[in-house]
Amino acid sequence: MVGTEDAQVSPRRRARRTKGPAISSDRVGVSFATRSKRSLAFLLILVGCTLHRAPERNPDMLTFHQKPGEITSICDAEQLALLRTLDKVGKQEAKTLSFESTVGAMERALTILNENTNPVNFLKYVSPDEKVRAAANICETAVQKTYVDVFVREDLYRQVKSVKDSKAKLSSDDAFMLDEYLSNFERNGLGLTLDQRKVFIEKKKRLVMIEAEFSKNLVEWDDSLPITEAELDGLPENYKKGLKKNKEGKYLITLDYPHYYPFMENAKSSRARQLLEEKFWKRGGEKNKALLDEALSLRKEMAKMLGFPNHAAYILDKRMAKNTDQVFGFLVGLKKKLIPLGKSNLAELQKYKKADTGSSEPIQSFEWRYYDTALKKQKYDVDVEKIRPYFPVDVVVAGMFEIYQTLLSVKFEKVEKGMTWHPSVEFYRVMREGKVVAQFFMDLYPRDGKYGHAAAFTLISGYTKPDGSYQRPASAIVANFTPPGEGTPSLLEHSEVETLFHEFGHIMHQVLTDARYASYSGTSVKNDFVEAPSQMLENWVWNKNALSKMSSHYQTKKPLPEDLLSKLIAAKLVNSGIRYLRQLSYALIDMTYHTSEKVDATEVYMRLTQEIMMIGGPEGTYPQASYGHIMGGYDAGYYGYLWSKVYAQDMFTRFEREGVLNTKTGQEYLKWILQPGGLKDPFDLIKGFLGRPSNDKAFLKSIGL
């Protein structure tokens, strides 16, 4: 899950997936709330008199109107059903063991659990009802704890190991699954003594709770900056219309992206920008600061219990990069190449600052976006607010659909009266050769209590059913674009068009999969590869032919003028050194956190930000308290955004050569990159698509080197 060039510490773009074994092997828990103290054992005692499994749910007919009590019943019943199945697996006699009766049975049981709980757990992120969100929070945490319990069961481990030891002849997919399940057990402490295992399990469950609370604190963080109308100087009228006022009549600038970014980019009041920046860097508060410290300590302790020198080594053992030397080598090498470019970028911004204020003081964190915007306006004549009217959401979505449909030979059919969780949500079916093959939802506008960034959520994974048919996948794109106003449609910045195109790429990766097993279908791939398919597709929003399909002035209906389009493309690499050094700083902060014996998280964050990006953070803040990535599945993994970009840009070279709307090339991309899921090695998939091993030439060119 998910930012690229302009990612924030809290994820702007993320591919969220089902929490199957492929994910639980590395960690358990991606954003959870507090769980009831009732244990599963206690639930098992009660099952005879109080609980009944919910009626079988049809994954092709999703509903989202469950009440809190229904969510609790579904959650508890599905976990109990899973445990009954796993108990049968664990009690099998040795002579009856086979891949199908062990790994196959476990995979089916876990798939059913996810199939029946993912849609209700998703309500944690999108439901308008606070009580529903709370119930979904509790269920999601419970399911993650169940995964901890499953992969520390000695009876199941013994059965799977027996199948491995039997050296039965298996298909390549089954052999892969057998090895992965065995690895999942061993990475969850099954090689430890019983006493050590008990300690390990307690630490892991505590980590689940910590990550849950961290995420909950961020989602519920509520702060804003009250400002006068004079302090809104530089912002367009539409921005002002979307603001609420406090009792004193002052405008409230929240820390949500649709408020924060335009303000930091355009507000002339340096003091107001500074105050907003300080608030932004304190999100999560002292509470999250302490939770992160505890999480870092627990991760280090658990990694060492499993024989790894640190948490990063544990994580990277299952990634494309393989080890910390590879990652540090990649990041430090890129840093050396980018530093001169970053210094040049800063020197140019400094000139704009001096002309504006007369000051020769170094650029501060609350200034660089403002002067970056000023540079684009003055040097390249690129004004975001002049471009925005050409990108009404409906036009962008229609053009985006046309491009994806052309490339991937599918059709998107809107369902006018589909069941959704909010009236603004749209529901679509994916058609191929007249048949429904998948479905997806689009939830594009902010509201109270909703997930605050941009992400693609898997609701139902694709997989081959026992009868040989294929389960239709279902996903949801969740974003927070500026909503329609009075007489004005939702109008996107070009960067938001890029975000939408990126996230929809994740949706296509999720719903067009043909992987045999749910745990490794769609975006359930190695974390340092998961962004590459969507990053590759971002290139379309910088192509004139593609942009002409996605732009039309909401009043005049004219497409984006050729001269404005040329200026926009010309300004693409403005301050690319600063932006990519910023990404590098996040990645190296993450790696330092997860390779150090002892770490002062605030000191490391501030020092590396200054050293790498050459722009320091506000004093007295603790930005790690909102570093959602490393508490939400990207621990020792933030490097993946840059790592995967290397492969993304190299893959795009084929479309550059053969045509960005070439259906034949699109079909090859579907075959090699989008369909296989995590059952195949990414290196093999990339080589298959390119017809050669990958290199970094296109990547370096794409970032201005």
Side-chain angles (χ1 to χ4, degrees), residues 89-200:
V89 173
K91 291 175 181 176
Q92 290 178 93
E93 294 181 11
K95 62 183 180 181
T96 66
L97 295 177
S98 66
F99 173 85
E100 277 301 318
S101 71
T102 54
V103 173
M106 290 178 65
E107 173 69 10
R108 284 192 295 275
L110 289 166
T111 297
I112 291 170
L113 171 72
N114 284 323
E115 205 167 70
N116 289 334
T117 59
N118 272 353
V120 293
N121 290 346
F122 171 63
L123 293 174
K124 163 188 172 177
Y125 302 95
V126 297
S127 175
D129 188 321
E130 183 179 359
K131 292 181 180 178
V132 168
R133 294 196 302 270
N137 238 330
I138 291 170
C139 181
E140 189 179 51
T141 306
V143 170
Q144 293 308 301
K145 285 189 172 183
T146 296
Y147 269 104
V148 175
D149 290 330
V150 168
F151 286 97
V152 295
R153 282 184 57 163
E154 194 163 357
D155 59 338
L156 299 177
Y157 173 61
R158 186 172 56 247
Q159 304 290 57
V160 173
K161 196 170 187 309
S162 293
V163 174
K164 178 68 175 178
D165 292 342
S166 73
K167 298 181 179 179
K169 189 174 181 179
L170 301 172
S171 69
S172 59
D173 284 354
D174 289 353
F176 174 86
M177 289 292 285
L178 177 60
D179 287 342
E180 286 297 296
Y181 265 74
L182 199 58
S183 174
N184 289 342
F185 282 111
E186 291 167 352
R187 289 171 65 83
N188 279 279
L190 263 296
L192 303 175
T193 66
L194 184 59
D195 288 342
Q196 289 174 323
R197 202 181 314 148
K198 288 179 181 177
V199 173
F200 184 89

Side-chain angles (χ1 to χ4, degrees), residues 519-643:
S519 292
Y520 293 89
S521 76
T523 49
S524 290
V525 299
K526 292 183 185 297
N527 269 28
D528 48 5
F529 178 65
V530 70
E531 296 296 332
S534 284
Q535 287 173 329
M536 196 280 294
L537 290 159
E538 288 174 24
N539 287 286
W540 270 251
V541 307
W542 295 99
N543 177 272
K544 289 185 179 182
N545 290 335
L547 278 175
S548 67
K549 295 178 181 295
M550 292 186 284
S551 68
S552 173
H553 195 285
Y554 78 100
Q555 291 173 320
T556 67
K557 309 305 177 187
K558 292 181 179 179
L560 191 65
E562 182 74 21
D563 65 324
L564 205 53
L565 182 55
S566 297
K567 290 171 185 176
L568 180 66
I569 293 172
K572 179 182 180 182
L573 293 178
V574 171
N575 293 324
S576 62
I578 294 175
R579 295 182 185 281
Y580 278 94
L581 284 170
R582 187 160 162 269
Q583 290 295 298
L584 269 173
S585 70
Y586 294 155
L588 283 166
I589 288 165
D590 173 28
M591 288 299 293
T592 302
Y593 281 172
H594 290 108
T595 55
S596 300
E597 272 299 305
K598 200 171 183 181
V599 63
D600 179 332
T602 305
E603 186 278 330
V604 166
Y605 199 109
M606 294 297 197
R607 173 170 53 82
L608 290 180
T609 300
Q610 177 67 62
E611 176 188 313
I612 299 166
M613 191 182 174
M614 298 174 285
I615 300 175
E619 289 186 14
T621 60
Y622 26 82
Q624 74 274 20
S626 60
Y627 199 165
H629 282 85
I630 61 172
M631 293 293 273
Y634 277 64
D635 38 306
Y638 197 94
Y639 77 92
Y641 285 114
L642 290 167
W643 176 276

Side-chain angles (χ1 to χ4, degrees), residues 213-228:
E213 191 174 349
F214 187 99
S215 170
K216 185 170 180 285
N217 291 341
L218 262 187
V219 169
E220 294 178 353
W221 193 257
D222 186 16
D223 197 7
S224 59
L225 177 70
I227 62 169
T228 63

Side-chain angles (χ1 to χ4, degrees), residues 332-342 581 696 700 703 705:
V332 172
L334 190 53
K335 175 188 167 186
K336 289 178 181 176
K337 293 174 181 176
L338 281 168
I339 285 288
L341 181 59
L581 284 170
D696 66 358
L700 294 175
I703 64 174
L705 295 176

